[in-house]
Amino acid sequence: MAKVQNIKGMRDHLPPAMMLRQYITRTITQVCERYGFEPLQTPVVEYAEALEGKLGDDESLIYRFEDHGGRRLALRYDQTVPLARVVAQYAGQITLPWRRYALGPSYRGERPARGRYREFYQADADIVGSSSPLADAEIVAMLSETLAALGFPDFVTLLNHRQIIGGIARVSGLDEVAAGSVYRAIDKFDKIGADGVREELLRSGVNAEAAEHILALVQIEGSSAEILAELEARLDHDARATAAIANLRAIIHGLEQMGVPASRYKIAPRLARGLSYYTGMVFEAITPHWPEGSLLGGGRYDELVGQFAGRSLPTVGLAFGIDRLHDVMEELNLGPRPTSTAVAYVTCFSPELAAESLALAAELRAAGVNTLINLDGGGLGKQFKEADRKGVRYALVIGPDEVTRGEVVVKDLRDGTQRTVERNGVAAQLS
RNA sequence: GUGCCUGUAGCUCAAUGGUUAGAGCGCCUGACUGUGGAUCAGGAGGCUGUGGGUUCGAAACCCAUCAGGCACCCCA
């Protein structure tokens, strides 16, 4: 017999977990569609060459294989490259700007850890073909609304811009190559502190003076407007950084006009994010109750999507990590915890009355009530027990007395109360 | 991919290298012939993750492997 075991880093999602996961994906889907995003689904398998060369240096985490025809294939590691492929392939059928969301699994051969798996589900939402700061703002507004709808009590979206980080590096006298290690170092600020970052900067060849300059810039505190003003003053020789600051101001203006509370976002000069393809705004949503990492992240990447199409397609988007959201919500005890998909359990009094039970169940289902029926007989006690174990709220009894009177006994298994109701009005009683 | 820690019943965990590996919870049956949870009585459930090795003797020690956790790396 084959091993009764999961592949490392790949999980089964049993019903209790799945019900919460579905709540999460339903909520995300609802908010996406409220903003007019359209659904897209693509295969998990792509040509390997389509996925290669987009992830930066470390591509060993891509799952690759050959099919029976000798084609070099790979499992997608996110939904962004498939998006780029689709935009190029169906150019004539897509009206830009295109808002699309995509929900499904992706694969990375990384070392698994809590909140991080080799098979993971993401809900991606992107706006393709607009460079307007309103597009950036819309993504942030949507993410805010989604996290609020999921029940996160306090979360903040940290906002930064690639060209502010670039400007910090340039003003400190570093070239683009050295800038990479600067990104990585300052991204760790909240984890390793100012001293840790300084150490890391020095180790990667940044001189002491530049390191201090970087640390000072990165530690600017205050309101979003104050931070931007301060950055502008200190980076004013750098044209790209100045443009980036103007861009963030426009995005924030958009957020205000869209009604996003100011407490939901914050300029964070320390935020870097590793993915090399970001070109503009970058962001991460965090909550103080989960200090281990971000709930989600995203940003603007104006060059990636156009690579397949051979033209520039400015795009801004984000990825909700379903597995991470699920782990955090579980940890923080957020969201509803349904114990069953059914709300009613119709007992079977006796083989002679099975027809009555089945008819009652059919009536309930026709009325839209999720209903479970007893299959294997047994005493009422056993059946009540099964209903209780399954987490169903109402157990219904239709025995000889009820049949003759046209009634049904409804017992609420939560509090043990029970009442007799007219059979044709039962469905309305079960809410 | 590197380093460290862990793996015993469905779950949480016991068991100085020494009889037949235990407990709590859960599960099944019954006390209860039209009613779940409580109580009581009984029952099932294990190749101690897997494969080797050391030993008179291994759940324990060693090696490998698989899986999980933590840190690094990276990220969702």
Side-chain angles (χ1 to χ4, degrees), chain A residues 348-388:
Chain A
C348 179
F349 189 83
S350 65
E352 296 72 41
L353 290 177
E356 294 290 345
S357 291
L358 295 178
L360 174 60
E363 289 161 27
L364 290 172
R365 289 168 181 156
V369 178
N370 293 1
T371 303
L372 220 45
I373 54 161
N374 168 266
L375 295 174
D376 298 309
L380 282 182
K382 193 179 169 186
Q383 297 186 44
F384 271 61
K385 193 166 188 166
E386 183 191 338
D388 184 46

Side-chain angles (χ1 to χ4, degrees), chain A residues 207-218:
Chain A
N207 69 51
E209 193 187 344
E212 292 312 319
H213 195 191
I214 290 167
L215 280 167
L217 285 166
V218 137

Side-chain angles (χ1 to χ4, degrees), chain A residues 107 213 227 261 351:
Chain A
Y107 300 83
H213 195 191
I227 294 173

